Amino acid sequence: MCRWLAYTGSPVLVHDLLYRPEHSLIVQSLSSTMGAETTNGDGFGLGWYTDLPTPGVIRSTEPAWNDRNLEEISAHIRSPCVLAHVRASSGSAVQQTNCHPFRHGRWLFMHNGSIDGFLTLKYDLAMAVDPVLFAGIEGSSDTEMFFHLALTLGLEEDPVGAVSRAVGLIEETGRRHGVDFPLQMTVGMTDGETFYAFRYSSQGRSRTLFHSADIATLQQQYPGNQMLRRLSEDAKVVVSEPLSDLKGAWREIPESTCLVLHKGQEQMLPFEPQPRLVES
Amino acid sequence: MCRWLAYTGSPVLVHDLLYRPEHSLIVQSLSSTMGAETTNGDGFGLGWYTDLPTPGVIRSTEPAWNDRNLEEISAHIRSPCVLAHVRASSGSAVQQTNCHPFRHGRWLFMHNGSIDGFLTLKYDLAMAVDPVLFAGIEGSSDTEMFFHLALTLGLEEDPVGAVSRAVGLIEETGRRHGVDFPLQMTVGMTDGETFYAFRYSSQGRSRTLFHSADIATLQQQYPGNQMLRRLSEDAKVVVSEPLSDLKGAWREIPESTCLVLHKGQEQMLPFEPQPRLVES
Amino acid sequence: MCRWLAYTGSPVLVHDLLYRPEHSLIVQSLSSTMGAETTNGDGFGLGWYTDLPTPGVIRSTEPAWNDRNLEEISAHIRSPCVLAHVRASSGSAVQQTNCHPFRHGRWLFMHNGSIDGFLTLKYDLAMAVDPVLFAGIEGSSDTEMFFHLALTLGLEEDPVGAVSRAVGLIEETGRRHGVDFPLQMTVGMTDGETFYAFRYSSQGRSRTLFHSADIATLQQQYPGNQMLRRLSEDAKVVVSEPLSDLKGAWREIPESTCLVLHKGQEQMLPFEPQPRLVES
Amino acid sequence: MCRWLAYTGSPVLVHDLLYRPEHSLIVQSLSSTMGAETTNGDGFGLGWYTDLPTPGVIRSTEPAWNDRNLEEISAHIRSPCVLAHVRASSGSAVQQTNCHPFRHGRWLFMHNGSIDGFLTLKYDLAMAVDPVLFAGIEGSSDTEMFFHLALTLGLEEDPVGAVSRAVGLIEETGRRHGVDFPLQMTVGMTDGETFYAFRYSSQGRSRTLFHSADIATLQQQYPGNQMLRRLSEDAKVVVSEPLSDLKGAWREIPESTCLVLHKGQEQMLPFEPQPRLVES
């Protein structure tokens, strides 16, 4: 069910981010240690922000560990905000349009987890998507549906609230169909300015999610560490599983939490679904 | 916008069907002469019936002209009912789940044409699909939606009527959104027992569609022709464009027509859309 | 470094062979337990014999665990002699032409292992291939080179001797370039009539290789076992790792051994490389 | 047999180069007008230079006309030296390692044409490649072999001479095997500093090749032309077929010619093969 990584901070070379760490995302595509599956070889995706109006995105069904083009391109991209994802399908087809991150305007969205009983709920969830936005759904994944529900429920104006409402709608729809614990999620989402990480699941047993500790502090703790030295003080990394064993470098994001990163500031907020008001 | 081919009759080797003719479907994938596009390189699909309960289907995004696996496999399949399709996308993603033929139980469905303004109509069309059937939609093509509308409207019990009703619904939905000529189609569809070919479009200017003349007659006309000799007398081929120049071998299927082939018998029926009764 | 499977006996449905066993080759593509790597997701290949003059072969760079076409096709192929292979690249590119089995006329050849220092030896090995056969090399793998050396050294007339001589040549070339232990191999090879399995390595520490015990005996031991009941008495399976935990069902093939299966008879022969005579 | 494009000059956005022109290379991948084939859908490749020590290269077997990743990436690459190629295979497998441009250190090499009777000559040509360089051959194309022969014959020290000698060797080897006209070529080759275009064939009937006229002159001629205004005065484009109909914008490169571009200067030199001295 996937592993992901997000970076914000001063511009970084994407190749360093993806390939250099000891337990990099590329290594995790072949053998993750904390995921539901060891192998996340059902495709990958990379999104990054530059001075262009919208972020660039490449996605492929190739397993990330062997994809030469990914390695080449990442050596040529420097960006202050990067999202990367390696996929282990939870049932839907292996195709480029089912790879994360998904993009809408300036927004990127990626997910580790699933909507339980998705096929049973699919019609009702689809009907809750705004008709104009619905046309933008190209694949068949639960994540893409989730994203489009959040867009429908006001993501561009009120990001955290919209995800809250989308989760509420998914859970309500699930329960209406007899699914006890409809949603499992860690989500990474951004518009290039603010990064949001969510960790929540209906059953309270979400996939792992970590964020990096303060870089300046770590640089003092480990003065010889090359990787740390290359990072800016405002660098922040959020990951499904840590990229290294470095003691003190990683903090777990608790259940039912939303982490908000903006201009080097971070906020940890409690997160809970917001059920829909009953409509006639 | 694609080329397709269907065969019914005594079991034939799929390789002969796909590769031997002078202007074979494989040749048409690279350079068709009557299609909207010359090249139909956005994927291919093959469906075939045996004594198994459901037909086999393989689909790939590779251009058919170079796909070695297709050539290998076709040399090993003998079948009395074969559907094959090469794709030129009318806008939706190039992915395996957007390749034809589409399968549901014993049914196979393929299409050359498009739903005009599909993205605008997509939500309303999706809403009209039965919720349980809706979960089976894996891609993003207009054809797959069309097929699922026909399934919803009774394809398994009343095939021609269901296609009729589906076309009616698509046209009505289109006009409601200001699309004057919503549908363009030649469709090939079968359950392995009866084969249905449809040629219709809202504007009355459909893509080409031909069926083969009586084989026994052709065999007498052309006693030296090797390809003809290998065919059984009940062999019937329906194609987007003729596989050869042989005079008298191909008859055009008229506009607004449904051709029904069953146990060597053929029926040519007028075809028209059946609009929905107004619902509150 | 790959896992493979071979079957000889009465015709079997390929889908049963590939998908039904508890620890099937498809399962092993995602998580093998005895291989050098857990995941063998760098492509797969399938070869099978029918009454056609040469065997059919399909190969793909897709990881086997998710490939729908493989699942579909295997449900439609029945064959008395089947070779299947899932790949973990030992360095060479992930491409269809580097997937096993390799074919030459009626012969199929697959391999688990590697030629150590292959890039250093590549030129000299290539030079030793017959010029006409050399043109048939389409990929860049050590296995394909090995196969073409065996073909050059008389594989079609004296299969075991040719493999012996090829191994001798590879080892001699390796040592000439300072490679101590040039070859690691388990090899599966057949012309559709006789199947040869080899287990040998320069260092005497080869990858695992097993063959199935006598089916009639196993059927008596396990009268309730469905899978066994479906097998003919002359069925024989040779695998990199056992397809099940069934006690007594699998025997390891020793180091430096060649197993020969022909018309239900089996021979276990000592195997050793045959160095080249010195040429001026 | 392929179409290619090269750009040198002030940094340009790759997306503008590939997608904006009326008869762009992307359009030519689907419908070229001057090539041996209309469709060049057997893969593509892109190489570009930045301040990194070696150029970036991405290659894919996808037809260029539909590849989303190519479109995305090209919108994010600005470079003063760009090579792009769309492939129509002349027989060898469709695989990433057979796509152009080929890279060796700082050098990129691409080709439109073929070596006639390549399979017959392959062994002799391979033997003429330096053993260390030989290990770098990953595919099975005639172009890759040609490039490695030129590298062997001194490409990095004497580029034009090396290509000359390589052509001589290929022709001599061809004639030794009864091939009258062994080589057809337009070649584009660079180390990021100097760009070389070659047009030559054994029979004197090479594929088309054009270079752009002086930009400053064209800008005066067509003051309203947007595309021209975006180009720097030292911009130079070399193409298999013109990207537009603009009168006077394109000059054909004659048969048996080598065009050398360096720091805005251009030289047109006669080109002829240089046969090998006879070796015992």
Side-chain angles (χ1 to χ4, degrees):
Chain A
M1 246 164 268
C2 321
R3 304 275 77 187
W4 59 259
L5 165 161
Y7 170 90
T8 72
S10 299
V12 70
L13 188 67
V14 173
H15 192 276
D16 283 352
L17 202 59
L18 291 186
Y19 290 89
R20 278 184 151 253
E22 194 184 322
H23 192 61
S24 70
L25 191 69
I26 301 299
V27 168
Q28 292 176 33
S29 69
L30 190 57
S31 26
S32 74
T33 51
M34 295 184 179
E37 302 80 20
T38 309
T39 305
N40 299 275
D42 296 333
F44 69 86
L46 174 72
W48 69 96
Y49 290 79
T50 61
D51 50 6
L52 293 185
T54 52
V57 174
I58 59 174
R59 303 186 290 178
S60 169
T61 56
E62 293 307 308
W65 65 78
N66 252 330
D67 195 281
R68 297 180 173 196
N69 289 337
L70 177 62
E71 186 148 27
E72 289 280 330
I73 291 155
S74 62
H76 285 87
I77 299 175
R78 217 168 253 288
S79 173
C81 181
V82 181
L83 269 59
H85 181 281
V86 291
R87 186 171 187 238
S89 168
S90 54
S92 56
V94 174
Q95 56 195 12
Q96 213 180 28
T97 55
N98 281 354
C99 294
H100 320 199
F102 295 92
R103 175 177 58 193
H104 183 89
R106 276 194 71 78
W107 288 89
L108 291 180
F109 184 100
M110 60 188 174
H111 173 219
N112 172 210
S114 59
I115 295 176
D116 191 27
F118 179 58
L119 292 182
T120 309
L121 313 186
K122 197 171 177 184
Y123 181 87
D124 287 0
L125 296 177
M127 293 308 102
V129 175
D130 170 83
V132 174
L133 289 170
F134 183 76
I137 294 178
E138 288 198 287
S140 57
S141 69
D142 45 12
T143 301
E144 193 183 23
M145 187 73 79
F146 181 5
F147 181 39
H148 281 73
L149 286 168
L151 285 166
T152 299
L153 294 167
L155 187 139
E156 297 182 277
E157 299 83 38
D158 172 20
V160 179
V163 172
S164 217
R165 289 185 288 275
V167 174
L169 186 149
I170 290 167
E171 290 193 324
E172 178 201 7
T173 307
R175 286 173 185 137
R176 204 159 10 94
H177 285 266
V179 180
D180 288 336
F181 304 112
L183 187 62
Q184 257 273 10
M185 80 182 198
T186 71
V187 162
M189 179 176 98
T190 183
D191 61 355
E193 304 288 318
T194 311
F195 178 81
Y196 307 83
F198 299 84
R199 187 172 184 226
Y200 169 84
S201 61
S202 313
Q203 199 175 15
R205 289 197 245 154
S206 308
R207 301 278 185 262
T208 59
L209 193 64
F210 297 85
H211 65 119
S212 55
D214 177 65
I215 296 297
T217 308
L218 288 173
Q219 284 169 340
Q220 282 172 17
Q221 264 184 287
Y222 301 100
N225 187 303
Q226 289 298 330
M227 273 229 65
L228 283 174
R229 282 214 298 193
R230 298 162 74 98
L231 294 173
S232 58
E233 286 193 8
D234 60 353
K236 195 82 187 164
V237 180
V238 183
V239 284
S240 298
E241 62 186 72
L243 304 178
S244 73
D245 282 341
L246 210 61
K247 259 184 143 57
W250 303 98
R251 306 229 158 95
E252 194 170 31
I253 293 173
E255 289 278 359
S256 303
T257 302
C258 170
L259 170 71
V260 183
L261 304 173
H262 182 72
K263 292 193 195 306
Q265 298 301 311
E266 68 181 73
Q267 262 193 303
M268 203 78 94
L269 307 168
F271 174 85
E272 61 176 25
Q274 201 171 306
R276 262 194 308 190
L277 298 173
V278 172
E279 296 162 290
S280 57
Chain B
M1 247 163 266
C2 320
R3 304 276 76 189
W4 58 259
L5 166 161
Y7 170 88
T8 72
S10 300
V12 71
L13 188 67
V14 173
H15 192 277
D16 282 351
L17 202 58
L18 291 187
Y19 289 89
R20 278 184 151 254
E22 194 185 321
H23 192 60
S24 70
L25 191 69
I26 301 300
V27 168
Q28 292 177 34
S29 69
L30 190 57
S31 25
S32 73
T33 50
M34 295 184 181
E37 301 81 19
T38 309
T39 304
N40 299 276
D42 296 332
F44 68 86
L46 174 72
W48 69 96
Y49 290 80
T50 60
D51 51 6
L52 293 185
T54 53
V57 174
I58 59 173
R59 301 187 292 177
S60 169
T61 57
E62 294 307 309
W65 65 77
N66 253 330
D67 195 281
R68 296 180 174 197
N69 290 337
L70 177 63
E71 187 149 26
E72 289 280 330
I73 292 155
S74 63
H76 285 87
I77 300 174
R78 220 171 249 290
S79 172
C81 183
V82 181
L83 269 59
H85 181 280
V86 292
R87 186 171 187 238
S89 167
S90 54
S92 55
V94 173
Q95 56 196 12
Q96 213 178 28
T97 55
N98 281 354
C99 293
H100 320 197
F102 294 93
R103 175 177 57 193
H104 182 89
R106 276 193 71 79
W107 288 89
L108 292 180
F109 184 101
M110 60 186 174
H111 173 218
N112 172 212
S114 59
I115 294 176
D116 191 27
F118 179 58
L119 292 183
T120 309
L121 313 185
K122 198 172 177 183
Y123 182 87
D124 287 0
L125 295 177
M127 269 219 311
V129 174
D130 170 84
V132 175
L133 288 170
F134 183 77
I137 293 179
E138 287 198 289
S140 57
S141 68
D142 44 13
T143 300
E144 194 183 22
M145 188 73 79
F146 181 6
F147 180 39
H148 282 73
L149 287 168
L151 285 165
T152 299
L153 295 167
L155 188 139
E156 296 182 277
E157 299 82 39
D158 171 20
V160 180
V163 172
S164 218
R165 289 184 289 273
V167 175
L169 187 148
I170 290 167
E171 289 193 324
E172 178 201 5
T173 307
R175 288 177 183 132
R176 205 160 9 95
H177 285 266
V179 179
D180 288 335
F181 304 112
L183 188 62
Q184 257 274 10
M185 81 184 196
T186 71
V187 161
M189 178 176 99
T190 183
D191 62 354
E193 303 288 317
T194 311
F195 178 81
Y196 306 83
F198 299 84
R199 188 173 184 226
Y200 169 84
S201 62
S202 314
Q203 198 175 15
R205 289 197 245 155
S206 307
R207 300 276 184 262
T208 59
L209 193 63
F210 297 85
H211 65 120
S212 56
D214 177 65
I215 296 297
T217 309
L218 288 173
Q219 284 169 340
Q220 282 171 19
Q221 265 184 285
Y222 301 100
N225 187 302
Q226 289 298 331
M227 273 228 67
L228 284 174
R229 284 216 295 192
R230 299 161 72 98
L231 293 173
S232 58
E233 287 193 6
D234 60 353
K236 196 81 188 164
V237 180
V238 183
V239 284
S240 298
E241 62 187 72
L243 303 178
S244 73
D245 282 341
L246 210 61
K247 258 185 144 56
W250 302 98
R251 307 232 158 93
E252 194 169 30
I253 292 173
E255 289 278 1
S256 303
T257 303
C258 170
L259 169 71
V260 184
L261 304 173
H262 182 72
K263 293 195 194 306
Q265 298 300 313
E266 68 180 74
Q267 261 194 302
M268 203 78 95
L269 308 168
F271 174 85
E272 61 175 25
Q274 200 170 308
R276 263 193 309 190
L277 298 173
V278 173
E279 298 161 287
S280 58
Chain C
M1 246 164 268
C2 320
R3 306 275 76 188
W4 58 259
L5 165 160
Y7 170 89
T8 73
S10 299
V12 70
L13 189 66
V14 173
H15 192 275
D16 282 352
L17 201 59
L18 292 186
Y19 289 88
R20 277 185 151 250
E22 194 186 324
H23 192 61
S24 69
L25 191 70
I26 301 300
V27 169
Q28 292 176 33
S29 70
L30 190 57
S31 27
S32 74
T33 51
M34 297 184 180
E37 300 81 20
T38 309
T39 305
N40 299 276
D42 296 333
F44 68 85
L46 174 72
W48 71 95
Y49 291 80
T50 60
D51 51 6
L52 293 185
T54 52
V57 174
I58 58 173
R59 302 187 291 178
S60 169
T61 57
E62 293 309 308
W65 65 77
N66 253 329
D67 195 282
R68 296 182 173 194
N69 290 337
L70 177 63
E71 187 148 27
E72 287 282 328
I73 291 155
S74 63
H76 285 87
I77 298 175
R78 216 168 253 290
S79 173
C81 183
V82 181
L83 268 60
H85 181 279
V86 292
R87 186 171 187 238
S89 168
S90 55
S92 56
V94 174
Q95 55 196 11
Q96 212 179 29
T97 56
N98 281 355
C99 294
H100 321 198
F102 295 92
R103 174 177 58 194
H104 182 89
R106 276 194 69 79
W107 288 90
L108 291 180
F109 184 101
M110 59 187 175
H111 173 219
N112 172 213
S114 59
I115 295 176
D116 191 26
F118 179 57
L119 292 182
T120 309
L121 314 186
K122 198 172 177 185
Y123 182 87
D124 287 359
L125 296 177
M127 270 219 308
V129 175
D130 170 84
V132 174
L133 288 170
F134 183 77
I137 294 178
E138 286 198 287
S140 57
S141 68
D142 44 13
T143 301
E144 194 184 21
M145 188 72 78
F146 181 5
F147 181 38
H148 282 74
L149 287 168
L151 285 165
T152 299
L153 295 167
L155 187 139
E156 296 182 277
E157 299 84 38
D158 171 21
V160 179
V163 173
S164 217
R165 289 185 288 275
V167 175
L169 187 148
I170 291 166
E171 290 192 325
E172 177 201 9
T173 307
R175 286 171 186 137
R176 208 163 4 97
H177 285 267
V179 180
D180 288 335
F181 303 112
L183 187 63
Q184 257 274 11
M185 79 182 197
T186 70
V187 162
M189 178 176 100
T190 183
D191 61 355
E193 302 288 318
T194 311
F195 177 81
Y196 306 84
F198 299 84
R199 186 172 185 226
Y200 169 84
S201 62
S202 313
Q203 199 175 13
R205 288 197 246 155
S206 307
R207 300 276 184 264
T208 59
L209 194 63
F210 297 84
H211 65 119
S212 55
D214 177 65
I215 296 299
T217 308
L218 288 173
Q219 283 169 342
Q220 282 171 19
Q221 264 184 287
Y222 300 101
N225 186 303
Q226 288 299 330
M227 273 230 65
L228 283 174
R229 283 217 294 195
R230 300 162 72 99
L231 293 172
S232 58
E233 287 193 7
D234 61 351
K236 195 83 186 160
V237 180
V238 183
V239 284
S240 299
E241 61 187 72
L243 304 179
S244 73
D245 282 341
L246 210 61
K247 257 184 144 56
W250 303 98
R251 307 229 160 93
E252 194 170 28
I253 292 174
E255 288 278 0
S256 302
T257 302
C258 172
L259 170 70
V260 183
L261 303 173
H262 181 74
K263 293 193 195 306
Q265 297 301 313
E266 68 180 73
Q267 262 194 304
M268 204 76 94
L269 308 168
F271 175 86
E272 62 174 24
Q274 203 171 305
R276 260 194 313 189
L277 298 173
V278 173
E279 295 160 293
S280 58
Chain D
M1 248 164 264
C2 321
R3 306 274 77 188
W4 59 259
L5 166 161
Y7 169 90
T8 73
S10 299
V12 70
L13 189 67
V14 173
H15 192 276
D16 283 353
L17 202 59
L18 293 185
Y19 289 89
R20 278 185 152 251
E22 193 185 324
H23 192 62
S24 70
L25 190 70
I26 301 299
V27 168
Q28 293 177 34
S29 69
L30 191 56
S31 26
S32 73
T33 51
M34 296 184 180
E37 301 80 19
T38 308
T39 305
N40 298 275
D42 297 331
F44 68 86
L46 173 72
W48 70 95
Y49 290 80
T50 60
D51 52 5
L52 292 185
T54 52
V57 173
I58 58 173
R59 301 188 290 177
S60 168
T61 56
E62 294 309 307
W65 66 77
N66 253 329
D67 195 280
R68 295 181 174 195
N69 290 336
L70 177 64
E71 187 149 27
E72 287 281 329
I73 292 156
S74 63
H76 285 88
I77 299 175
R78 219 170 250 291
S79 173
C81 182
V82 181
L83 269 57
H85 181 279
V86 291
R87 187 171 186 238
S89 168
S90 53
S92 56
V94 174
Q95 56 196 10
Q96 212 179 27
T97 56
N98 282 354
C99 293
H100 321 198
F102 295 93
R103 176 177 56 194
H104 183 89
R106 276 193 70 78
W107 288 91
L108 292 180
F109 184 99
M110 58 187 175
H111 173 218
N112 172 214
S114 60
I115 295 176
D116 191 28
F118 178 57
L119 292 182
T120 310
L121 313 186
K122 198 173 177 184
Y123 181 88
D124 286 0
L125 296 177
M127 292 310 103
V129 175
D130 169 85
V132 174
L133 289 171
F134 183 76
I137 293 178
E138 286 198 289
S140 56
S141 68
D142 45 11
T143 300
E144 193 183 22
M145 188 73 79
F146 181 4
F147 181 37
H148 282 73
L149 287 168
L151 285 165
T152 300
L153 294 168
L155 187 139
E156 295 183 277
E157 299 84 38
D158 171 20
V160 179
V163 172
S164 218
R165 289 185 288 274
V167 175
L169 186 148
I170 291 166
E171 290 193 324
E172 178 202 6
T173 307
R175 288 174 184 136
R176 204 158 12 93
H177 286 266
V179 179
D180 287 334
F181 303 113
L183 187 63
Q184 258 274 9
M185 78 182 198
T186 70
V187 162
M189 178 177 101
T190 184
D191 61 355
E193 303 288 319
T194 310
F195 178 80
Y196 307 84
F198 300 83
R199 187 172 184 226
Y200 169 83
S201 62
S202 312
Q203 200 176 13
R205 288 197 245 155
S206 306
R207 300 277 184 262
T208 58
L209 193 63
F210 296 84
H211 66 120
S212 55
D214 178 65
I215 296 298
T217 308
L218 288 173
Q219 283 168 341
Q220 282 172 19
Q221 265 184 286
Y222 301 101
N225 187 301
Q226 288 298 330
M227 273 230 66
L228 284 174
R229 284 219 293 197
R230 299 163 72 99
L231 293 172
S232 57
E233 287 193 6
D234 60 352
K236 195 80 186 166
V237 180
V238 183
V239 284
S240 299
E241 61 187 72
L243 304 178
S244 72
D245 282 342
L246 210 61
K247 256 183 145 58
W250 303 97
R251 307 231 159 94
E252 195 171 28
I253 292 174
E255 289 278 359
S256 302
T257 303
C258 171
L259 169 70
V260 183
L261 304 173
H262 181 73
K263 293 193 195 305
Q265 298 299 313
E266 67 180 75
Q267 262 193 304
M268 205 77 95
L269 308 168
F271 174 86
E272 60 176 25
Q274 201 170 308
R276 260 193 313 188
L277 297 174
V278 173
E279 295 161 290
S280 57

